[in-house]
Every structure is written in C-alpha cells, then in structure tokens.
Amino acid sequence: MKILVTGGLGYIGSHTVVELMKNKNNEVIIIDNLSNSNIAILDRLERITFKKIKFYNIDIKDEMKLNEVFTENKIELVIHFAAYKSVGESVKEPLKYYDNNIGGTVTLLNIMKRNNVKNFIFSSSATVYGEQEIMPIEEGFKLKEPKNPYGKTKVITEKILSDLAKSDDAWKIAILRYFNPVGAHESGLIGELPNGIPNNLMPYLSKVAAGELKELNVFGNNYETKDGTGVRDYIHVVDLAKGHAIIIDNIYKFNKLKVYNLGTGNGYSVIEVIKEFEKISGKKINYKIVEKRKGDVGVSYASPKKINEELGWVAKKGLKDMCKDFWNWQNNGLKEIINEF
C-alpha cells in the first residue's frame, strides 16, 4: 500500500513511519514543512528501516504542490500528523492554530477527494474530551468544550470528518485520540525533537537531568490527585505508532468512521514521572512549583478497551521503558543531531 504521511519527520510521525515500513508491502511517502522537525530525521529513518524514503518538503496548505504529490504517486491512504500541538502557544496564537490545523486539513481532504483517495487516519487528541469527571475516559463520552484553541481545532476537525463520512460511503476514516506520547525509539536514533525550549514534560525534564536547563516548572500542586500534581496517561510513542499500523490492517473493514482512544489506561502524576526519570538517569531533577497553566486539566487517562477488543491493540511498554528510551535518545541520537547542526 502507498501511504502518505503528513508531518512524517515529526515525533509521532517518524515513529509511525518505522512501524509502517516493517510491512514489506507498504511504501511510505513523507511530506513535512520542517517547522517543528529536522531533516536529519529522514536519514535516521532510512538507517533504521534500511530503505530509501521519498520525501517532499512542502506545507499542507500549499494546494498546488500538495496535488503534485498525489499525481506523482498512486497514494492509497493518508495519515495526517501535520499540526501545531502546543497548548500554551495555542492560547497565545489562536489564529495560527485555526489556520494550520483546520485550514490545512481541509486543503488536504479536498486534494484527496480530487484524486479519489478516501482512506484517512487523523491524529486527534484527548484534549477533545475537555475536563471529564469520570475516569477512565471512553470514546462514547460527551465531548466537552476544550479549554484551549489547540483542543478546539481537534474537535472542529473531528466534526468535519464526521460530516465527510456521512456525505460519501466511500470514505474510510479513523480518528485516533492520543493521550500523552512519550519515550523514543529503542535505537536512540529518533525521538522528540522540539524547536527551542520544550513544551512537553519529558523532553524538558530530560534536559534538566542533562544539565542543559536549570529546573523544571511543575504547573500546579493543588489538583485533586495523590500528590497534587496533574495526572496524565503517558503512552510510549512506539506503542502509539503500532496502533496506526493495526488501523491500516483493518481500515477496509470500517463502516465510514471509527474513533479510538490510544492510551494505556493508567495515569501517572508529574511527580511520579520525575521520580522514575531520576531512577533511570541517576540524576537529580530540580523542579519548582508554579501556577497552573491556563487551559490545563487536572486528571486525564484513557479507557483503551474499544481498540483492545475490536482490533487487538494493547500498549505494552510501561513508564520505566518510556523514561529509559527517552534518556537514551537524549544522550545519543539527540546529541548527534545537535552536533551536526
């Protein structure tokens, strides 16, 4: 199958490419505008997979160039990762997020329709659930208004996809609601590579452990949790990537649209993650408690029961693996990239 992966050099996209290419019948084409990724990842993907990968440096909002990708390649399925993802930045720059995350997706879908490509996997987020009172969170829960524009772009896009599926029976669409991806590939060659100061927990605390940053800000310690810090369902990025491969194996069986959570079903607090990372790294993680961030929720963890039962996908890696693999990335692949650039 010829699979187009938008944002394929990003964190989740790159790990998914690795999993897709384990199937010798898959051919992967990547597009990425490198706004929050690095071209060095392409070389590492080829080193891991031992295969040459076709890559286009284009933006999904560039309709003409995007259409050329479809005309040059007989694309059969699209996995869409190309979106801005920082909760904090989205609060400060909402127009940037609505333009790219919604406008870019609509452009992509129009090009797909024009080229009669109607198999689509969308990278959504647990933020679409807003603040839920009952845990674990199931797909059937009523979506609540997210507290930030990033989450709102995901809700709006999900509605667009639902309407699209209703309009044409030929569409086969999977919406995957990620919880909190962490970790890195066990080779240490690819991992999370944010531009500038990291927004997410593990890359930030990893840099504190490495002595590159002074301390970690812990946003709030008065949530109704075991230690007062926020609780999230952290899932190893490789487990997450494997979920996409399973979706592809089953997508032709779908009736229009399917929605699945990708999470472990377990919640870890920020303090628990810090303590585990200290054990793995052997380093003291300096942190300070600061005010809660606008838009954050206190507790969020998934029920992965639906995808477990329907498709047989189960997250297999625990918090120890997540910390170990990310620390390996911090000390090997990431340093190599930094030294090159």
Side-chain angles (χ1 to χ4, degrees), residues 10-183:
Y11 179 41
I12 301 173
S14 60
H15 288 81
T16 300
V17 167
V18 171
E19 294 303 317
L20 298 180
M21 294 185 69
K22 288 181 179 179
N23 184 336
K24 64 181 181 180
N25 295 318
N26 288 339
E27 180 181 344
V28 176
I29 297 101
I30 294 173
I31 65 172
D32 199 304
N33 68 0
L34 304 177
S35 65
N36 196 30
S37 58
N38 193 303
I39 190 61
I41 298 300
L42 180 61
D43 171 70
R44 281 149 182 76
L45 289 175
E46 293 177 344
R47 285 162 61 181
I48 292 169
T49 63
F50 300 101
K51 296 177 183 176
K52 191 73 176 173
I53 302 171
K54 187 178 286 188
F55 169 70
Y56 294 84
N57 181 0
I58 66 172
D59 192 293
I60 57 168
K61 292 181 292 181
D62 190 327
E63 187 173 346
M64 185 174 72
K65 289 184 178 179
L66 186 59
N67 191 63
E68 288 175 0
V69 174
F70 280 83
T71 56
E72 290 172 11
N73 304 277
K74 294 182 179 180
I75 305 296
E76 297 170 75
L77 180 144
V78 176
I79 307 181
H80 183 34
F81 295 108
Y84 296 131
K85 62 179 183 177
S86 169
V87 169
E89 184 185 51
S90 76
V91 174
K92 295 177 182 176
E93 299 188 59
L95 292 179
K96 175 181 177 180
Y97 276 68
Y98 288 121
D99 179 46
N100 183 79
N101 293 9
I102 298 173
T105 303
V106 170
T107 298
L108 174 62
L109 291 168
N110 274 322
I111 296 298
M112 288 179 64
K113 183 179 179 181
R114 184 186 304 174
N115 289 275
N116 198 33
V117 179
K118 295 184 177 180
N119 300 307
F120 189 68
I121 300 175
F122 176 59
S123 170
S124 192
S125 166
T127 57
V128 301
Y129 292 112
E131 192 159 14
Q132 297 284 340
E133 296 176 359
I134 299 173
M135 294 291 150
I137 297 171
E138 298 177 1
E139 291 89 346
F141 283 13
K142 183 178 179 180
L143 303 188
K144 295 188 177 181
E145 179 78 1
K147 292 187 174 183
N148 55 77
Y150 164 72
K152 291 174 184 176
T153 67
K154 295 298 185 182
V155 170
I156 293 167
T157 304
E158 286 198 13
K159 290 178 179 178
I160 291 169
L161 292 173
S162 177
D163 289 340
L164 182 60
K166 291 173 185 175
S167 73
D168 182 352
D169 289 344
W171 283 93
K172 305 289 186 183
I173 298 172
I175 293 173
L176 304 183
R177 293 173 179 163
Y178 308 155
F179 279 68
N180 290 70
V182 294

Side-chain angles (χ1 to χ4, degrees), residues 205-206 209-210 274-285 323-324 327 331:
L205 69 84
S206 181
I274 291 171
K275 288 181 178 178
E276 184 62 38
F277 207 92
E278 286 181 332
K279 290 179 186 177
I280 294 298
S281 66
K283 305 290 185 180
K284 175 67 177 174
I285 307 293
C323 295
K324 176 175 63 69
W327 186 235
N331 288 299

Side-chain angles (χ1 to χ4, degrees), residues 276-321:
E276 184 62 38
F277 207 92
E278 286 181 332
K279 290 179 186 177
I280 294 298
S281 66
K283 305 290 185 180
K284 175 67 177 174
I285 307 293
N286 296 316
Y287 68 89
K288 67 177 179 180
I289 306 297
V290 298
E291 290 184 5
K292 295 177 181 178
R293 288 182 299 193
K294 187 177 180 181
D296 275 352
V297 299
V299 179
S300 177
Y301 61 95
S303 167
K305 183 179 179 181
K306 183 179 177 183
I307 193 169
N308 291 168
E309 293 181 349
E310 292 186 7
L311 303 181
W313 175 88
V314 178
K316 296 180 178 179
K317 295 177 180 289
L319 183 59
K320 181 178 179 180
D321 296 309

